[in-house]
Amino acid sequence: MIPLFTHNDDESFNRIEAVIKKSALVHNYKVIQKLCPNQKILPMIKANAYGHGDIWTAKTLAPLPHLYGLGVATLNEAITIRKQVSKKTNIIVFSGALPWSEEIGQACYRYQLTPVICTFNDWRKFSSSSWFKKINYKLKFNTGMNRLGIDVCMSSNIIQKLEKNRKYLPSAVITHLAESESPNSAISLKQKKTWKELTKQFKNKFPSLCFHFANSGAIWNSKSWGVDSSSQIIRPGISLYGIRPWQKASRKNLIPVMTFRAKVIAKRKLIAGEKIGYGASFKVKKPTHTAILSVGYEDGLHKALSNKGHVWLKNKPQPILGAISMDMSCIQCTPQTKLNDWAELFGPHVDHWHQALLLKTTPYELLTSVSNRVKRKYV
């Protein structure tokens, strides 16, 4: 009789994985806290915590000091996390409560979620409903990014309504920055001025009201943005995961939380003139040792890195050769390379910004492109 085989998620079968370090996440949180010691922290864990795993990230961050709450984009994200995280932890839904409806109100009430009201039409519906007196909420204003946010010209109307309902003030008034990495650009200067005027309006009527706008870029430029005086809460996103907010920003001792890596599954020595991969887009000019990695564009290694990206193998960078396919890719290697060696696709040795700029994108897309097929290994 052939014995039954039971697969218990044996790690030896992992040909590709994202190794995610708790110590790095906590370290980055502390780095950010020291940059703005007077502010509460509202980490952004939307999009599956930028690919790191929202439940794991939420549970790791929930007990930390100075935490204000957790930020997500959608109601489904919020509900999934709430089922695993105590209602003592605030969960703020930044765009998923738009457009406002009775069903959204019921979900926010049931799961104790804080919706962000982003349009004046939604404000009218929300403030005239029973949920206005039952749910904590935030008001978002458009100060120049022109994406979501109530038009600032409607602030007086909203203030009048709130003066008649002082028991039901928003938990915060917020906005979003378009160029936080450039605090002296034209759009940033306009946003600063608009935000100052807006907050003054609200503070004159409601002195205890909370305000916030500071994302990772503003945290790095906290003095230029006046974070101490005008943002009682900070909202780190990309920096929390160990990546500087823009290419030339200081690292400030951040540690990448995720190491995306794949195993060598085959080796080959090619002679001059041979070609590699679909379309035969790379021609070998001299005898070259190559390795096949168990990773392709379905896993999150972008096809556009074909023939121009690199990986980290055996303590040195190695170029990607030929077209990246759905499940595999080819790199140059040394004769010492062995089967099952791990090659780092990005992490502490392969700079996210370098890879992102080759793709004409940002590290945000790199992280969130790591697919569900890739095993997350939490250490």
Side-chain angles (χ1 to χ4, degrees), residues 257-271:
V257 177
M258 178 192 294
T259 299
F260 184 29
R261 65 184 192 172
K263 280 183 177 178
V264 173
I265 58 172
K267 294 172 56 183
R268 189 180 299 277
K269 186 176 180 180
L270 302 179
I271 62 174

Side-chain angles (χ1 to χ4, degrees), residues 36-287:
C36 296
N38 299 318
Q39 275 67 37
K40 290 284 188 178
I41 303 177
L42 173 52
M44 300 305 298
I45 63 169
K46 61 183 179 177
N48 198 29
Y50 294 38
H52 292 72
D54 50 11
I55 300 300
W56 176 85
T57 303
K59 288 184 174 181
T60 300
L61 296 174
L64 298 183
H66 305 284
L67 185 82
Y68 172 81
L70 302 170
V72 299
T74 72
L75 274 172
N76 284 337
E77 289 175 335
I79 292 169
T80 298
I81 294 167
R82 174 59 79 214
K83 289 178 179 179
Q84 300 291 328
V85 175
S86 166
K87 291 182 178 178
K88 293 180 181 179
T89 301
N90 295 323
I91 299 179
I92 295 86
V93 184
F94 275 80
S95 59
L98 172 76
W100 185 260
S101 68
E102 179 70 14
E103 291 74 19
I104 289 175
Q106 291 173 359
C108 289
Y109 182 75
R110 177 181 177 184
Y111 294 103
Q112 292 190 19
L113 307 174
T114 301
V116 177
I117 306 302
C118 299
T119 72
F120 187 70
N121 188 48
D122 278 356
W123 161 252
R124 286 193 300 183
K125 289 191 288 185
F126 173 74
S127 63
S128 61
S129 72
S130 62
W131 304 117
F132 178 51
K133 298 180 180 180
K134 297 178 180 179
I135 297 173
N136 287 327
Y137 67 97
K138 295 181 184 292
L139 290 176
K140 182 174 186 176
F141 284 87
N142 174 33
T143 57
M145 188 171 181
N146 294 321
R147 194 173 62 177
L148 293 182
I150 301 167
D151 291 340
V152 172
C153 63
M154 305 307 298
S155 59
S156 296
N157 183 296
I158 293 173
I159 288 172
Q160 289 177 10
K161 174 86 172 185
L162 292 175
E163 282 189 289
K164 299 174 182 177
N165 296 273
R166 286 182 171 269
K167 290 183 179 180
Y168 311 109
L169 298 180
S171 58
V173 171
I174 73 173
T175 195
H176 201 86
L177 303 178
E179 293 185 343
S180 60
E181 70 279 8
S182 303
N184 295 313
S185 70
I187 183 63
S188 293
L189 293 174
K190 179 183 177 182
Q191 285 199 275
K192 284 183 191 179
K193 181 180 178 182
T194 303
W195 180 245
K196 184 177 181 180
E197 293 170 351
L198 179 70
T199 55
K200 184 178 179 181
Q201 271 188 295
F202 276 92
K203 285 179 180 179
N204 285 340
K205 300 294 183 180
F206 318 109
S208 62
L209 202 56
C210 179
F211 302 89
H212 58 87
F213 65 83
N215 59 4
S216 291
I219 294 167
W220 257 238
N221 287 317
S222 59
K223 289 186 179 179
S224 297
W225 279 106
V227 170
D228 253 353
S229 60
S230 54
S231 188
Q232 288 77 54
I233 296 166
I234 55 175
R235 308 194 305 250
I238 198 73
S239 59
L240 185 69
Y241 304 102
I243 302 172
R244 57 198 188 280
W246 66 95
Q247 182 195 8
K248 296 182 179 180
S250 169
R251 292 183 184 276
K252 297 190 185 295
N253 298 317
L254 294 177
I255 300 173
V257 177
M258 178 192 294
T259 299
F260 184 29
R261 65 184 192 172
K263 280 183 177 178
V264 173
I265 58 172
K267 294 172 56 183
R268 189 180 299 277
K269 186 176 180 180
L270 302 179
I271 62 174
E274 291 192 282
K275 296 181 178 181
I276 297 172
Y278 286 124
S281 61
F282 185 87
K283 183 177 181 179
V284 176
K285 296 181 180 179
K286 60 182 180 180

Side-chain angles (χ1 to χ4, degrees), residues 75 113 190 206 273 289 295 340 350 362:
L75 274 172
L113 307 174
K190 179 183 177 182
F206 318 109
H289 289 273
V295 60
N340 292 321
V350 182
T362 69

Side-chain angles (χ1 to χ4, degrees), residues 308-325:
K308 59 183 178 181
H310 73 275
V311 305
W312 186 262
L313 178 66
K314 292 290 187 180
N315 297 314
K316 65 181 296 185
Q318 297 287 3
I320 296 172
L321 308 179
I324 294 168
S325 56

